[in-house]
Amino acid sequence: VRRLFLYWYRDHLVLNSFPTGRSSGLVTVLRRAQARFGKEEEIRVQLANAYLEVGDSKAAQDVFEKLYEDADQSGDKVRWAARLAKVADEAGTAEELIRAFERRKRNNPTSILPLLALAEIHHVLHRYADRRAALQEAIRRPPKDLGSTPKRARVAEPHASLKRESSGWERRQT
């Protein structure tokens, strides 16, 4: 797949040699590459970045949201939530993004993943009290959505460190 992508990327380099239409040409090439190669993460990230370059933050946000949805690992979901927050902040749609993740949180009350993503969004937006509230709520929820035992073991330590960090915050508040 990587070799085929390089073919498409070479088209982008040709487009960059022309003075006009570079960014929109890149979007076209990357859309074709995405249609051809499907869910290749690297292509989708470059497509989102190309959308940002041409000023289409809504399309970029849609791509990052799809990357969030398709992510299998909790760390990947948090990473895409951070990118979503940056794009939403630049586009002035941060409040809408927060409301969307609040809905995710309500729709899935046993999962800590929407809370971790929400905490990361608040972190990117420099809303530290809201971040702390989301992390504290995540601590109170048992990590039921972690699946297999090895996966639980990988997440157990960060979950425990969140509890330690939260107790440190509470001591500093008093």
Side-chain angles (χ1 to χ4, degrees), residues 81 98 101-102 105 113-123 134:
I98 290 170
F101 273 87
E102 288 286 344
K105 177 182 82 168
L113 294 177
L115 287 165
L116 295 177
L118 192 57
E120 187 62 21
I121 290 167
H122 288 307
H123 175 72

Side-chain angles (χ1 to χ4, degrees), residues 61 64 78-95 97-98 101 117-126:
Q61 204 167 344
F64 285 127
V78 171
R79 177 172 50 118
W80 296 127
R83 289 296 301 268
L84 271 167
K86 288 177 186 174
V87 172
D89 190 31
E90 292 170 8
T93 59
E95 292 301 322
L97 181 66
I98 290 170
F101 273 87
L118 192 57
E120 187 62 21
I121 290 167
H122 288 307
H123 175 72
V124 170
L125 299 175
H126 307 291

Side-chain angles (χ1 to χ4, degrees), residues 45-125:
V45 170
Q46 289 187 16
L47 177 60
N49 290 333
Y51 279 133
L52 289 173
E53 196 174 309
V54 298
D56 192 351
S57 57
K58 175 66 175 133
Q61 204 167 344
D62 290 344
V63 172
F64 285 127
E65 191 166 332
K66 186 70 174 137
L67 285 163
Y68 175 87
E69 292 295 329
D70 293 344
D72 292 330
Q73 302 292 320
S74 57
D76 291 336
K77 285 195 178 283
V78 171
R79 177 172 50 118
W80 296 127
R83 289 296 301 268
L84 271 167
K86 288 177 186 174
V87 172
D89 190 31
E90 292 170 8
T93 59
E95 292 301 322
E96 292 173 28
L97 181 66
I98 290 170
R99 283 193 297 273
F101 273 87
E102 288 286 344
R103 275 192 304 277
R104 288 174 191 260
K105 177 182 82 168
R106 283 191 305 274
N107 292 341
N108 197 350
T110 60
S111 176
I112 64 169
L113 294 177
L115 287 165
L116 295 177
L118 192 57
E120 187 62 21
I121 290 167
H122 288 307
H123 175 72
V124 170
L125 299 175

Side-chain angles (χ1 to χ4, degrees), residues 148-169:
S148 66
T149 303
K151 195 174 193 181
R152 286 181 188 275
R154 283 196 307 271
V155 178
E157 178 55 32
H159 197 264
S161 72
L162 284 175
K163 286 184 179 180
R164 287 191 300 274
E165 187 177 336
S166 176
S167 65
W169 285 329

